Amino acid sequence: MELIREAMHASVSDPVASSMNFLNEIAGRFPDAISLAAGRPYEGFYQTTDISRYLANYASYLDAQGVDPRRALMQYGRTNGQIHGLIARMLAGDEGIDVPPESIGVTAGCQEAMVIVLRGICAGSDDVLLAASPCYVGITGAARLLGVEVVPVPSDNGFDPESVARVAAAVRSAGKNPRALYLVPDFSNPRGDCLDVPTRHRLLEVARESRLLILEDDPYGLFGLDDRARPRLKALDTNRDVIYLGSFAKSCFPGARVGFFVADQEVVDAAGRRTLLADELSAIKSMLTVNTSPISQAVVGGMLLEADCSLRALNASKVEFYRSNLLALLDSLATHMPPSVTWNTPAGGFFAVVKVPVLADIALLEKSAAAYGVLWTPMSFFYPEGGGEHAIRLASSYLSAAEIDEGVRRLAALLSDAAA
Amino acid sequence: MELIREAMHASVSDPVASSMNFLNEIAGRFPDAISLAAGRPYEGFYQTTDISRYLANYASYLDAQGVDPRRALMQYGRTNGQIHGLIARMLAGDEGIDVPPESIGVTAGCQEAMVIVLRGICAGSDDVLLAASPCYVGITGAARLLGVEVVPVPSDNGFDPESVARVAAAVRSAGKNPRALYLVPDFSNPRGDCLDVPTRHRLLEVARESRLLILEDDPYGLFGLDDRARPRLKALDTNRDVIYLGSFAKSCFPGARVGFFVADQEVVDAAGRRTLLADELSAIKSMLTVNTSPISQAVVGGMLLEADCSLRALNASKVEFYRSNLLALLDSLATHMPPSVTWNTPAGGFFAVVKVPVLADIALLEKSAAAYGVLWTPMSFFYPEGGGEHAIRLASSYLSAAEIDEGVRRLAALLSDAAA
């Protein structure tokens, strides 16, 4: 049967997915180009021997608890996972987030957590998600997959809680239901921004006043440029307005494909019983992937057990590396870029955003790869409703400082030539 | 924030999910009851040492191919997976299904494959899925998650391709678009039915005439009661009308959480280029779980490498076990059941269906667990639009023959007392 794309699957005409595919295609065609596009973690930290050691740690832990490792690792398992207790200890110790283990659902990467939570809280056709914009493409992809409308909260000049209230009110005036706000408070992708503490408190007030849940996505929170304490929104969340989304892709490794949600909201079920939102979300998880691979969970669990569930302790050397790499990126920009190019000052994370005096589109990217040997990501990918045409995202996570410097030098040459 | 279930997430009021939760709850409350409900595989085949051996096999295979195992196992990876070549060899050798490896997408269990395929082929609001009924709850769950209507093709008295044509025509008359038919041709869950070969050929004709794709789900195909050759629909599919859904939950183990789809249909994309449906489905997969854990894939890949990719060779002893268990179940029914109780004759698989002279509802199940110490599944769970109120599904996969016999004896006592 020949299928015509338009008729068969609307999601595939997703512009971001198409663009990302094109980005991958360009990367494939120019394998020698230096990639300042890839936000993947540095592989120098990875050793395959870690996998078997983590698995062995976890098997010993099961033994000590009197659990049959054969059943725990190889059979079907609890929908919301089996390392929720270890994650609860991690959140309490590292972040001061005190939640019952039963409020945690372990997912097949954080992307699945986004899909599950979004499906759970935006089930009505008028339910709308607000998102600080520019915005991580994973959440807009999840929303498109589920047919959920995303309304941007413009945050180009920093995130302002008052604009959340305004956008929520405007959505309500238009007859729709703003259900939640998605944001990455700590070292966002793509901007590397970080909310200061008074802004966090004010945002929680606004959420309560505007009857919004907050989806706090935290993949980069460990990787600040300084050691200042920045309480997570979930740690300040006395009213249970925050659903926390966690990832182990950067703090353990992406191949484990383990993420989680924390949903400790009280839900009144059809029978009038009080339960946790996490329990209700498990029904969605069961229809999506049944349960997260216990082998993947065992890898992450075995890692956590090596440092009494402190992800911060386990990541000390990664924190140093990503810090010095981000500083190297900023240094290289200062060294090589012409005066017409400016960039932001991220507070941490894997990315910086560069404003350029030319149109930063796919055509420029192709020229950049072919003639200058450097890849980057157009910022237009990160705006749900347009924007970022004259900006690019650079990643500092995957390369050495020397490679970053050479990549930025090449990019500077492209931009100088293109502007001339 | 207190959330009211009805307002927040319609999916959670899914009757099947609620019923399944209730089933699990009953099982939890009566842990000593014999479970003829659980269709999970027998754990006697599992050894945790298999996991490390499979991983080592796969790492050697990567080495031999000159692939860095650190990157392959621990980094982000190709959206549609990395063991597609091994799966293509398996399908060709075991089943005579010859498809390009690029048409295969490796998923986080077969449940995710169902969600991805359904999202891909039923994107319009008038797109409808037909399903042979009674029907596996996983597909109705996936459809509910995505808001896709499921129209049953009544198959209580055996599956008839002509009724597929009739139902498709009726759906079209009602102004909707029947996109595909879902069925399990080999040893279905819940009935253990098997299509004969002429029926398979006729079904493929009907699909072509009715412009329907077929979603062929094949979790139990290895486990027939005899060795008769039964070509998969996909092996007979000269017109690329079949999307094949594969699972390793029974043939490897459920904890790997690895399944796959085969989608070799040609698709014309927005730019007029011909591509494979599998490539287009990868855009959906990327929004759902990014990619399937390479560690899980390595477990399955390492298993396949132990027998030159023959799943049939690897499963010889499991085939024997499940066969003798299903025969034991049928023997026990003949031994213990009163004359008012009848059952079907499955051709293979994990299940049989028993007609009972009483209402087989949740109340009876609770009584059965509490007073008779035996669990089973109401057949009403498996009907998208009602049915099965006087039937129950029994599973023969998880227990020993002696346990099955004792379970059936207890069930016979319940049914005799209830009918009296």
Side-chain angles (χ1 to χ4, degrees), chain A residues 73-118:
Chain A
L73 296 177
M74 302 175 85
Q75 188 55 277
Y76 289 107
R78 181 175 170 273
T79 303
N80 268 351
Q82 59 181 276
I83 60 169
H84 50 304
L86 299 177
I87 293 173
R89 277 171 57 193
M90 172 192 96
L91 290 171
D94 279 349
E95 310 299 344
I97 296 174
D98 289 300
V99 290
E102 292 68 32
S103 70
I104 296 169
V106 187
T107 54
C110 190
Q111 185 66 29
E112 192 198 22
M114 291 184 199
V115 174
I116 292 169
V117 168
L118 211 52

Side-chain angles (χ1 to χ4, degrees), chain B residues 150-165:
Chain B
V150 178
V151 176
V153 177
S155 309
D156 269 313
N157 303 312
F159 176 79
D160 176 10
E162 311 311 325
S163 54
V164 174

